[in-house]
Amino acid sequence: MDASLQRLNVHLASVQPSATYRMMDRVAARRAEGANVISLSAGEPDFDTPAHIRAAAIDAINAGHTRYTPVAGMRALREAVARKFQRENGLDCSWQDTLVCSGGKQVIYNALAATLNAGDEVIVPAPCWVSYPEMVQLCGGRAVIAKCEHGAGFKLTPETLSQAISARTRWLILNSPSNPTGAVYSRDELRLLADVLLKHPHILVLSDDIYEHLVFDGAGFATIAQVEPRLAERTVTMNGVSKAYAMTGWRIGFCTAPRWLLDAMEKLQGQQTSGASSISQHAALAALEGPQDFIETSRRVFQARRDLMVASLTATPGLRCDLPAGAFYAFASCEGLIGRTSKGGVPLRTDEDVALALLEEANVAAVQGSAFGLGPYIRIAYALDDQALRQASDAIAEFASACR
Ligand code: PLP
C-alpha cells in the first residue's frame, strides 16, 4: 500500500482520543473477561428519559415528522429555546438568536471551527472537560491551559485569567458547574471575571452551562452573559437537554449567541450534519415546554448520592475530596497513594496508575485527573444507584487501605 494513503489531517493527527471513552473501552474489555465492574467513568445520568418526552418522540414518528428540518432547528424548538434562556437565565433573546445542534458538543465545535485561525489562542481553565483542548487543536487553534488549583476551588480567578490573556486570545471557555470538579461559579465570581473581560474586547466567551440544573445546597446558578449583559454581544451561551432531562443519546444541544456568529455556525452545520434529528427535536421541545419536576427530582437524587460518595471518599486513607457544589462528579485527590504499591504489586507513580489498578484489582472504573489537566486526582461520576455507589465506595476503601 502507498504509505501516503494513510496521511491524516495534521490537526487530527495530534488529537488525543478521549480518556473517558478509553476508560469505558477498558471497562467493556474487563466485563468481556467476566469481571463485575462498577463504572464511575461515564458522564451521563443513569435515569430513563421521562415518559412524556419519550411519548412526544413516538408521536413525532407516527405523525410523520421524520424529514429534514431547517439547519438551525425547527422554529417551534428555537422559540422554546429562546423562552428557556429568557425564563431561566434572564437573557434577552428571540428565536432568531438561537441555534439547535446535534448535542452540546456540536455547539462548541461549531463555534470554535467557525472562528479559529492558525495561532489563535483559547483559554481553557483546567481541570477541564477532556474535549475542549482537543477541539481547539482540531480547529487549528492553540489551547492555553489556565491551571485552577484546589486552593481556588478549581476555579479561574481574575488574576489567572489576566495572566493567560494575550493579543492572540480569541476565546475563553467557562464551564459551570464543572466537569470534572463539580465547581460552581457564583454570581460574584463571574462578575470579577467579567470585569477582566470588559478590558479585553477582542475575546469571545463560550459559557458551557450543560450542568446548569445540577447545583446543590440551594446555591444559585448564574451564567456570564446574565451577570454582565454587555458581554452578550460576544458570548455563546450553550446548553442542552442531555444532562438536565437524561437525554444524552438524543443528541440535542442549543445556544444563543450574536447573529454574525450564529450565521457562521449555521453555515458550517449546513455543510456537515444539517439540522439535528427531527424526532429528537420534538422530544427536546416536550422536555423544555413540558412538566419540569424531573429536574428537581434528579437534582435531589444526585445531591444525596454526592453526600454518600464524598463521605466515603473522605474517610478513605490516601484520598481527599471536597464537597462539590454541582454536576455529578467528585474530584478526589489521590496524592496519598502516589509512591505506594497496590495489593496486586503495581507501583502507583501517577494517577493513571491508580485508576488502572483500581479497575484491575477493585473492579471500579474512575478516570485519572491528569486527563482533565490536573493530577494526581481521580474523577468519580456518581451517576449510579445507591447500592452500586456503596459497593464501589467499599471497594475503593478496601483498595486504598491495602496499598503499602
Ligand atoms: N460539556 C460538558 C462539560 C460535558 O461534560 C459534556 C458531556 O459530557 C458536554 C458538554 C456535551 O454534551 P452533549 O451530550 O449535549 O453533547
Side-chain angles (χ1 to χ4, degrees):
M1 193 203 303
D2 186 328
S4 67
L5 272 179
Q6 295 189 19
R7 197 163 25 97
L8 296 179
N9 167 276
V10 284
H11 301 309
L12 181 64
S14 54
V15 159
Q16 298 297 316
S18 150
T20 321
Y21 281 124
R22 246 189 358 248
M23 183 53 80
M24 283 155 74
D25 287 347
R26 286 195 185 110
V27 170
R30 288 279 297 147
R31 284 180 178 153
E33 292 163 13
N36 184 14
V37 178
I38 303 177
S39 179
L40 307 175
S41 61
E44 61 180 342
D46 52 316
F47 311 120
D48 288 334
T49 303
H52 71 279
I53 299 175
R54 286 182 274 140
I58 292 165
D59 289 348
I61 294 174
N62 289 332
H65 298 309
T66 50
R67 301 179 190 280
Y68 292 130
T69 72
V71 171
M74 295 181 334
R75 166 93 180 246
L77 179 56
R78 293 176 74 192
E79 286 174 351
V81 167
R83 277 193 291 275
K84 176 256 175 293
F85 282 129
Q86 291 161 12
R87 179 178 72 235
E88 297 183 340
N89 308 114
L91 299 180
D92 181 18
C93 164
S94 72
W95 69 272
Q96 293 99 327
D97 304 313
T98 67
L99 177 70
V100 175
C101 300
S102 299
K105 203 173 214 173
Q106 194 182 23
V107 174
I108 303 170
Y109 190 84
N110 278 347
L112 295 174
T115 52
L116 288 180
N117 285 301
D120 284 348
E121 295 176 355
V122 178
I123 299 175
V124 182
C128 64
W129 184 38
V130 287
S131 291
Y132 299 139
E134 307 305 334
M135 286 201 235
V136 170
Q137 158 77 25
L138 262 179
C139 296
R142 196 170 80 79
V144 174
I145 302 295
K147 281 231 158 42
C148 306
E149 300 293 342
H150 170 252
F154 303 117
K155 288 187 255 189
L156 184 67
T157 61
E159 296 73 30
T160 311
L161 172 58
S162 298
Q163 282 159 15
I165 291 173
S166 80
R168 300 304 307 262
T169 306
R170 189 80 171 110
W171 286 94
L172 163 68
I173 299 182
L174 288 174
N175 173 217
S176 170
S178 152
N179 175 6
T181 64
V184 177
Y185 287 73
S186 70
R187 193 170 261 279
D188 290 349
E189 287 164 340
L190 290 175
R191 172 75 263 154
L192 294 175
L193 296 178
D195 288 344
V196 175
L197 291 165
L198 287 174
K199 289 187 213 137
H200 299 277
H202 65 293
I203 301 177
L204 294 159
V205 185
L206 198 149
S207 183
D208 178 343
D209 300 351
I210 198 87
Y211 295 97
E212 166 179 15
H213 291 296
L214 291 170
V215 174
F216 307 134
D217 306 319
F221 170 83
T223 191
I224 196 155
Q226 172 189 27
V227 171
E228 177 45 86
R230 281 177 290 175
L231 287 178
E233 65 177 28
R234 49 185 167 118
T235 298
V236 175
T237 303
M238 169 275 204
N239 214 315
V241 293
S242 297
K243 319 282 178 173
Y245 302 95
M247 293 176 69
T248 47
W250 298 78
R251 313 306 305 129
I252 297 290
F254 44 76
C255 69
T256 181
R259 295 266 176 108
W260 67 268
L261 184 50
L262 287 177
D263 289 347
M265 291 164 72
E266 181 181 346
K267 187 168 154 189
L268 178 64
Q269 186 165 303
Q271 298 303 343
Q272 192 193 36
T273 53
S274 300
S277 150
S278 58
I279 299 150
S280 296
Q281 288 191 59
H282 280 276
L285 179 58
L288 292 178
E289 301 276 278
Q292 300 295 303
D293 48 316
F294 175 81
I295 287 181
E296 181 55 16
T297 308
S298 71
R299 197 193 63 74
R300 280 171 197 268
V301 171
F302 277 122
Q303 183 168 318
R305 290 174 178 180
R306 173 203 64 167
D307 292 344
L308 187 158
M309 200 69 220
V310 173
S312 165
L313 292 171
T314 310
T316 298
L319 298 183
R320 188 169 45 78
C321 188
D322 293 343
L323 203 61
F328 41 68
Y329 305 105
F331 202 61
S333 165
C334 58
E335 200 174 359
L337 299 180
I338 302 297
R340 294 163 66 177
T341 303
S342 74
K343 191 177 175 186
V346 176
L348 305 175
R349 295 189 194 93
T350 64
D351 53 5
E352 187 170 10
D353 294 338
V354 173
L356 289 176
L358 197 60
L359 176 61
E360 289 299 318
E361 298 176 27
N363 283 326
V364 172
V367 185
Q368 66 276 13
S370 48
F372 304 95
L374 192 72
Y377 285 87
I378 50 171
R379 186 199 74 170
I380 287 157
Y382 48 84
L384 292 178
D385 64 37
D386 287 4
Q387 195 195 343
L389 291 181
R390 279 205 188 88
Q391 220 178 316
S393 46
D394 288 351
I396 294 171
E398 204 179 306
F399 169 86
S401 306
C403 290
R404 293 287 164 252

